[in-house]
Structures are given as C-alpha cells and as structure tokens.
Amino acid sequence: MRVLILADGLFATRERALLSRLEVGLADEGVRVVQATPEDVPASAAGLAEAITYPAGLWTLGTPWRARTIKSKVASGGKIDVVHVFGGSAWKLGAMLAAVLESELVLEVWRSGLVAKAAANEWDDAVFMAPDPAIERALLQESQGLTVRLGAWGVLTPDEPSRILEEARAPSVMVVGSGRDGEATRAAMEGIAKAAEQTPELLVFVDAREAQLAGLWESARRLGLLARLSQDEELAGRRELVLGGGPPLQPPGVGQRR
C-alpha cells in the first residue's frame, strides 16, 4: 500500500512533528509513504518517506497544474492508494489529485471551522478524519451523508508528569494559538499581565504569526509587557522551546487540535 500525505503550508510548518510521527507509524505497518509539502516549506519527513514538493502560491495555472506536477513526481513509484490531506487550503488540490491518481481521498478536519466546508457538496466519496469526539459529532450533525472516522492525535506519555515552573528557572508562558480570535488572545494577555504583577521575572513567548493577526504588540504596550515579550517565527513548529519552557497557553483552545 502506498499513501500520499499532502500538507498545506501552514500545517507543514506548524505540525512537522505530527507528520513525522504519522510517517513512522505508517512505515511500521508496512505502508510506503510519500510526503508532499509546498516548495517554500522545509520538508518534515523523518527519513522513512519519499519527500516531494509542489509549487506554492496562487499561480495563474492554478490547482490543476499543481496536481499534474505532483502526479508526475509520484508516478514512477507505483500506484497511490490513498491521498490524505492535512490543512484546509489543500483540500481542493487533494481532491483533484485523488481524482487524477484514482486514489481514495481522506480529509483531516483538524478544527471545527472546517466542518461546514466538509458538508459542501464537492468532496465526492471522501472520508473525513476527526481528531477528537467533539469534531466527530459536529461532522455527523452537519450532514448524515458524510463518511466520518475518528482518528485521535497524540503520543504515549510517561507515567510521571514533567516538572514545570521549577524554582531554579525563570517562569515563562508560551502563547501558541491561531490568532484568529483577537479578542480571546488579548484577554489572555491581560491575564498574563495580572500574573506578572506577582511574578516580576515572568517571561512571555508568543508565536509571531499569532501576534501579528491578533494585534498583540499594542496590547503588550498598554499592559506593560513589552520588556517581557519575545516572538518566535516558528514557535508552533519547533517543539523544543515549548517543551523546555513553562506552560503553553492556547487562546482560544476550543474547536481545533494542535
């Protein structure tokens, strides 16, 4: 069996670890994996998959041309049985690719905002993967005609929880979200400011894209947090900083998986 994992730019950047783990798990089951990401995003393959790229951006020739480009790159390796798409902006490309490759189509509904899109009558015979029971229920309620499967994200965790906010280290908060709900993100910053009044050494790290979308710099200036605030272009994609720091704060945390 051969599977093509197709990720859009945002998903390929922010969920590299997830895609690599999925690749390893499929390879362990004897599945051959091809991982396709936009050409302007570093490959996230763990070394067990064939990594290819496709043209990024809204080119004049559009989605059909990108689908043909991917098809030409995977043709020599044999038939693609499944096209599994991560990231809503790649759904149309994935659907067209599955059609030209005569493959099964799987669309990952990683946030509740994609439920209405899933119900649109343009994904013939697609299987919709829900990462948690809440999104699964939302998909089934939106349309009884959808084929939905529950496939939880995550990894095995150790029995003993990791220690955070140790006395010998400066306390920190990692703000990792989408930035789509600016009001929720600014409210989170207000909560951090109240905590900072009692913890002068508190440091705040925020994802750069989220900060821009939510207009966080003005809030940080108003709340007196600028001296504590650092932004990182890949905070959501590079897990080392998040795992090595204090507790992650995800505003808003409802309706999407990370």
Side-chain angles (χ1 to χ4, degrees):
M1 185 175 185
R2 194 164 177 240
V3 173
L4 172 64
I5 296 177
L6 175 70
D8 68 8
L10 181 62
F11 207 98
T13 300
R14 296 193 163 207
E15 297 294 349
R16 294 178 193 170
L18 171 70
L19 295 175
S20 293
R21 288 196 300 270
L22 179 60
E23 171 195 333
V24 171
L26 288 172
D28 188 54
E29 294 293 328
V31 177
R32 289 190 297 152
V33 180
V34 180
Q35 194 172 122
T37 56
E39 59 188 4
D40 58 351
V41 175
S44 56
L48 299 175
E50 175 188 352
I52 66 172
T53 60
Y54 61 89
L58 299 176
W59 289 37
T60 303
L61 295 175
T63 302
W65 184 70
R66 286 197 287 270
R68 290 194 296 271
T69 299
I70 296 174
K71 179 183 178 181
S72 67
K73 291 184 176 183
V74 303
S76 61
K79 177 175 173 52
I80 295 290
D81 298 285
V82 177
V83 175
H84 192 156
V85 186
F86 290 86
S89 65
W91 279 19
K92 179 179 269 189
L93 173 59
M96 188 169 293
L97 191 57
V100 299
L101 292 173
E102 298 182 345
S103 307
E104 300 297 326
L105 175 64
V106 178
L107 301 174
E108 193 79 21
V109 187
W110 70 277
R111 60 183 179 88
S112 58
L114 292 173
V115 171
K117 184 174 183 177
N121 189 26
E122 55 180 301
W123 319 110
D124 294 340
D125 300 322
V127 175
F128 295 93
M129 292 294 293
D132 60 46
I135 292 180
E136 179 190 28
R137 287 193 300 271
L139 283 166
L140 293 173
Q141 291 169 1
E142 184 72 21
S143 174
Q144 296 297 320
L146 298 181
T147 302
V148 181
R149 298 289 183 268
L150 177 63
W153 291 7
V155 295
L156 295 175
T157 57
D159 295 332
E160 294 294 327
S162 301
R163 296 184 62 187
I164 61 174
L165 298 178
E166 298 180 20
E167 293 184 1
R169 302 172 62 182
S172 61
V173 176
M174 307 291 172
V175 185
V176 183
S178 66
R180 289 187 175 91
D181 190 337
E183 183 178 350
T185 307
R186 290 187 291 272
M189 296 299 290
E190 292 177 2
I192 292 173
K194 292 180 180 179
E197 293 174 1
Q198 304 175 31
T199 313
E201 66 274 25
L202 179 67
L203 301 176
V204 184
F205 296 88
V206 62
D207 180 77
R209 183 176 184 273
E210 177 186 11
Q212 181 180 7
L213 289 176
L216 281 193
W217 292 110
E218 181 57 37
S219 296
R221 185 178 296 106
R222 175 174 55 84
L223 296 168
L225 291 175
L226 280 181
R228 305 170 183 269
L229 190 65
S230 297
Q231 69 171 0
D232 191 299
E233 293 289 343
E234 296 185 352
L235 183 63
R238 294 192 301 111
R239 309 297 186 185
E240 297 86 354
L241 181 59
V242 177
L243 293 174
L249 179 63
Q250 185 182 338
V254 178
Q256 65 181 34
R257 297 294 295 182
R258 287 295 180 94

